[in-house]
Each structure stands twice: as structure tokens, then as C-alpha cells.
Amino acid sequence: MNTVKHCLLLFCSILLCCAAIAQEADGGETLLYSSREEIPMQEPDALFRVKEIRIEGNKHTRNSAVYRELSFTAGQEMALNKLADELAESRKRLMNTGMFLDVTVTLSSLRGYEAYVKIDLRERWYIYPLPFVKMIDRNVGQWMREKGMDFNRVNYGIKFTHKNFSGLNDKATLNVTNGYTRALGFSYQGLFLDKKMKWSASLGASMGQNKEINYKTQGNKQLAFKDENFVYSYFNAFTEVRYRPAIFTTHRFGFRYASQMVDDTIMTINPSYTFNHQRVRQPELYYNVDYFNVDFIPYPTKGLIVSASVSKKGFKRPLNVWQMNLKTSASWPITPKSFFNLRTAGMLKLPFKQPDLNKSLIGFNDMYMQGYEYFVIDGVMGGYSKATMARQLFSTNIGIPSERFRRLNHIPLKVYAKVYGNMGYVYNPRPGDNPLANRVLVSGGVGLDIITFYDFIIKLEWSFNQIGQNGLNLHRKDYF
């Protein structure tokens, strides 16, 4: 009976994905002469010079930050058809910076063979001094089901963020945390080092301590040691240089230092956690390259994302590892309202002999498989692939009439229905009592993706896995 119920649920969801019940999406884009059919008749090979690019609406963002994202420059010559394509491309790039609620790019006028371009910007709120409450468990479902909604496993504090600190799309953050974890951290990203805004620097540091530590994985569940005194403390610091030679590609070169100290009891109950070292110091050198060429970074329906990294962590026991990561996400439109997405992620750690502290793989950070949210799968090599078919159910705008807060007058809301499937594998040379390692894992399910406030995304997913479990899970946005 349960199998029939699950099949009916899956069948109904597929029908939802294929149903044509939506209205056309409002992209918020206004382009004069934005298509080839709308361009006035001119000589076929006539070239027009971009005489002026006028920017309006940027009260805080500097003009140079806007010019950096454009696919054309003042003084450039091109045919009108080509210019129309560049206007649309430039709008997409500006929206993907995350600095604006809406962007309008128009060819405002033609004077002979000179073109005048106007860019209208609606800036978002950049300053967020927000209190927060966040559970420390890996996801909401684990906190609710396995930890009984224990509010002692919650962090609270205040997070101060400025997402456009100097008007050049730089970001400053200060976090003060109390509760389950006592922590303090700050970071600054985007200090430009050259006039062309290709080189920038970032830095940050954080420190904290808590009274509980996950010291072992058994049955693909984390076991925790807890005491009235603090049993775990850490300090992290990093500095990084970024090189962005083109719009879509960013290179990052960095140095990170991490120091962790655990209670000596951990050495007794699991010597493999740090190979009998109470304090672990871990210097790290890393290189990362990111390529983002999609229609909308927070929720891409078209385009490609690639992220690759290599790092050297530590130089002697207990941590001495070369680590390589590769993640991809590709989306292809099928119809104007539906798309197919394929995501992959892989990780390799060498040598294979690593302490348990350095064997985190699936189930940590953004490396997870749908349907296995309540498990962790430790290992030194592994990855997964995810395939998703999604269709837009509707797209609309909601508004809160307010002259004081005009940004709330035009809030987009989109909902997508989807079906998905996952396949993954993790190799662990010492799996112990963890049956999900060293075997092929599969899962699938159906869900709804809700996109609002421009980049605020909630994912409701009902997943099924190969060990006979199913249930509803809640996720925030993710690329991979």
C-alpha cells in the first residue's frame, strides 16, 4: 500500500510539473529596441557608436562598479541588432551582482549614428544589523526529528552585514554569537587593488568554543561528547587575493590558518579523531577558480556554473593532506517555463590515511544528497550527481503599499514544481560501523521551489531513499 501511495504521489507531481497553469514571468526588463524586429530600418551594415552611458538611481553604488559589469563600453561601435543583445546581456550581469532589486537598460535615443544608453537602477538594502536564531544541527529536519527541537542546541546573536560597503560591491560582516556556541567573527571581501577592478583582497578571522563536540560517526550518525565545561575551541584566520579578468571567471589564491583544541577525553574514547593530538594546527594554501555564466545566480534556469579547487592542508601529522574539489551545475531550458538541471560534486583527499576529523564528505556544508539529510557519510574520495526537471507553476509580484519603503512595493514571487533523482558514492578505507560508505547510493523525490525577495529561496522536498525511508525536508538555496 505504501508503494502505491508513493507512486501516486510521484505521478501527481510529474503532472504538476507538466501542467500549463502558469502566467508568463515578469522579468522586470524594459528595453527600447530590445529585439531585432523592433529596431528601426537602417542600412544593414551600419555601425552605431555608443556616445553616452547614463546611470541613474545609484545612490550608493559607484558608477565604476556598474561599468565593470557591462558587456559594452562608451565609444564602442556595433550594429543596432548587436547593441540590443548587449543591452539584455548587461542587465543580466548587473542583476547577478546581487546589488540591485531591479535594473532597466534602454537605448534611450539615436542621433544620427550615435546611440545613447540609459541604465536605471533600483538599489536593495545593503545594511543588515539583524539578530538571528539558528540551530547548530546540519538541517532543520535533524533538529526537529532527532534532537526533539532542543532549544539548548540553538545559537543566537547579532549579525551585522554591509553588502556594498564602499559602493564597489564589497562586503563587511561582523558576527557575535552566544548560546550553544560562543563565537566572534569578522570578514571583509572586495578591497580592490587596481583601477580596472580585476584584483581584490579579502581577509577575516573567527574564534569560538562550545561544550559539545562530534567525535565519531557510527551508523552514519554523529556521536557527540558533552560536558558542563567547554570541550572544544577554535581559531581561524584567512587572507585571500582574487583575480577576476573577465565577467564570468574568478580566481582565488589564499592562505588560511586554523587551530582546534579538544578535551583530552576525546583522546580516550576515539584516538582516531585527531590521531591522539589534543591540539591541531592547520596552515593551508589553496587555489580556487569559479565560473558563473547563468541567467540568475541564486536560481539558474539556463547556463553553467563550475567551481574547482586544490589545497594543501598541514605539513605533518595529524593533518597533512592534498584536497581537490570539483562542482558543476548546468541548466538547459526545455520550454519557456521549464528546464532541466544536472549537478555534480566530487572530492579527493590524499593520502587516504586521515584522522576522523578530516574525513567529512557527504552530509557536511553544501555537500548533501536529497533523501539522506539525516546521515553523514565520511570518506576520503567520493561524490554524487543530481538530476532535476522543474516547471514554473506561476510568477507574480506582491507589494506592500508604502511610500517610505518603496522597495517593498514590487516583490517578485515564483514557484516551481520539480522531480529529481540522486546517485552518489563515498570511499572510506576504514568504514567501521557505517553501512552507507563504499556502496552506490540512490534517491529521488518531488518538491516545490519558492523564490521571493529576489534571492530568498525555500525548497520543500519529499524524498525517497534506497533504504526505505521517505519524508519532507526543507532547504535554503544551493548551487550544487
Side-chain angles (χ1 to χ4, degrees):
M1 181 63 69
N2 287 335
T3 301
V4 174
K5 179 180 69 175
H6 297 160
C7 290
L8 286 174
L9 178 60
L10 181 62
F11 178 72
C12 291
S13 299
I14 293 174
L15 288 180
L16 278 175
C17 287
C18 299
I21 61 174
Q23 63 183 14
E24 290 296 329
D26 178 12
E29 179 177 356
T30 304
L31 296 176
L32 289 177
Y33 314 141
S34 61
S35 67
R36 302 181 187 278
E37 291 77 8
E38 295 173 345
I39 295 175
M41 292 298 296
Q42 301 282 349
E43 298 178 22
D45 299 326
L47 296 180
F48 288 78
R49 180 172 176 267
V50 179
K51 177 65 175 178
E52 179 185 79
I53 302 175
R54 190 169 77 256
I55 303 173
E56 296 183 356
N58 53 326
K59 298 179 180 179
H60 184 72
T61 306
R62 299 190 194 182
N63 285 351
S64 56
V66 178
Y67 292 139
R68 175 70 175 89
E69 305 299 323
L70 301 182
S71 60
F72 61 95
T73 61
Q76 187 173 348
E77 293 184 344
M78 67 188 81
L80 281 179
N81 288 352
K82 174 65 174 175
L83 179 57
D85 294 338
E86 298 303 326
L87 298 181
E89 172 66 19
S90 295
R91 180 191 182 273
K92 182 187 77 173
R93 294 183 183 186
L94 287 168
M95 287 297 295
N96 274 335
T97 64
M99 292 191 293
F100 309 108
L101 296 177
D102 198 9
V103 176
T104 302
V105 184
T106 61
L107 175 57
S108 58
S109 65
L110 290 174
R111 301 174 188 174
Y113 288 93
E114 293 182 340
Y116 291 77
V117 175
K118 180 182 177 183
I119 301 175
D120 286 310
L121 305 171
R122 291 180 61 209
E123 293 183 321
R124 63 187 307 163
W125 283 313
Y126 297 130
I127 303 176
Y128 296 86
L130 295 177
F132 66 87
V133 177
K134 183 179 181 181
M135 66 286 302
I136 57 92
D137 297 292
R138 290 176 295 105
N139 54 65
V140 177
Q142 183 193 29
W143 178 68
M144 295 178 64
R145 293 187 181 185
E146 298 183 356
K147 305 302 180 181
M149 299 179 66
D150 183 1
F151 284 91
N152 291 322
R153 301 180 62 81
V154 168
N155 285 332
Y156 59 90
I158 186 167
K159 180 178 182 180
F160 179 88
T161 301
H162 198 308
K163 293 189 175 182
N164 195 6
F165 188 72
S166 68
L168 294 174
N169 199 20
D170 50 346
K171 181 178 179 180
T173 303
L174 175 65
N175 288 327
V176 180
T177 304
N178 203 347
Y180 179 88
T181 302
R182 292 182 181 178
L184 177 66
F186 80 93
S187 65
Y188 177 79
Q189 301 175 2
L191 175 63
F192 286 99
L193 305 176
D194 64 326
K195 293 182 179 180
K196 294 184 178 181
M197 302 175 64
K198 292 185 176 182
W199 291 91
S200 65
S202 302
L203 56 87
S206 62
M207 59 186 301
Q209 55 186 0
N210 58 39
K211 299 180 179 180
E212 182 176 310
I213 181 174
N214 296 317
Y215 68 93
K216 187 178 181 179
T217 302
Q218 182 173 313
N220 294 111
K221 301 282 188 177
Q222 291 180 303
L223 302 182
F225 171 73
K226 188 175 182 179
D227 194 77
E228 292 300 320
N229 300 313
F230 290 102
V231 297
Y232 174 74
S233 61
Y234 68 88
F235 172 79
N236 299 318
F238 79 94
T239 182
E240 180 180 277
V241 175
R242 298 190 181 194
Y243 176 55
R244 188 185 176 205
I247 293 296
F248 304 123
T249 304
T250 302
H251 303 268
R252 296 188 285 127
F253 311 86
F255 172 78
R256 181 182 292 111
Y257 176 80
S259 175
Q260 303 176 62
M261 186 170 181
V262 300
D263 189 272
D264 55 8
T265 306
I266 303 300
M267 307 300 99
T268 303
I269 58 180
N270 183 19
S272 296
Y273 182 72
T274 59
F275 286 162
N276 273 322
H277 287 69
Q278 186 174 4
R279 180 182 291 276
V280 178
R281 296 179 176 89
Q282 181 179 315
E284 176 186 356
L285 294 170
Y286 63 89
Y287 164 71
N288 189 93
V289 57
D290 294 319
Y291 176 83
F292 282 78
N293 185 7
V294 293
D295 55 349
F296 184 49
I297 288 179
Y299 192 83
T301 63
K302 178 183 178 181
L304 177 66
I305 299 174
V306 179
S307 179
S309 66
V310 58
S311 65
K312 181 64 171 71
K313 299 180 180 180
F315 300 97
K316 60 181 181 179
R317 287 172 63 93
L319 287 183
N320 181 13
V321 58
W322 284 94
Q323 181 169 317
M324 285 148 278
N325 297 67
L326 177 64
K327 300 177 182 179
T328 67
S329 175
S331 302
W332 297 271
I334 300 174
T335 70
K337 295 182 181 179
S338 62
F339 69 95
F340 175 76
N341 174 265
L342 179 64
R343 287 175 283 177
T344 63
M347 182 184 296
L348 172 64
K349 301 179 181 182
L350 296 173
F352 283 166
K353 186 177 181 181
Q354 294 294 326
D356 292 349
L357 173 66
N358 200 38
K359 291 169 67 176
S360 303
L361 215 150
I362 291 182
F364 299 89
N365 301 320
D366 61 350
M367 290 278 289
Y368 75 92
M369 289 180 61
Q370 293 151 304
Y372 293 92
E373 285 88 348
Y374 304 115
F375 301 98
V376 296
I377 311 171
D378 296 333
V380 293
M381 179 177 64
Y384 56 76
S385 61
K386 302 179 180 181
T388 302
M389 183 80 72
R391 180 177 179 82
Q392 184 186 110
L393 296 183
F394 65 86
S395 173
T396 187
N397 292 287
I398 57 178
I400 302 176
S402 172
E403 288 298 322
R404 184 176 181 181
F405 300 107
R406 295 184 179 181
R407 293 180 177 91
L408 300 178
N409 292 343
H410 184 82
I411 302 173
L413 173 65
K414 295 183 180 181
V415 176
Y416 286 81
K418 64 183 181 182
V419 293
Y420 54 85
N422 294 196
M423 178 177 291
Y425 181 87
V426 172
Y427 172 67
N428 190 340
R430 295 183 293 112
D433 183 21
N434 293 290
L436 296 182
N438 304 329
R439 64 184 292 191
V440 176
L441 303 174
V442 295
S443 63
V446 297
L448 292 175
D449 293 343
I450 304 170
I451 304 101
T452 186
F453 283 104
Y454 301 89
D455 59 1
F456 184 80
I457 298 170
I458 298 175
K459 299 188 175 188
L460 300 172
E461 300 173 344
W462 193 285
S463 300
F464 308 82
N465 61 34
Q466 72 190 61
I467 58 178
Q469 298 177 339
N470 69 89
L472 181 66
N473 295 286
L474 173 67
H475 293 289
R476 285 289 312 275
K477 62 182 179 182
D478 59 356
Y479 302 136
F480 307 106

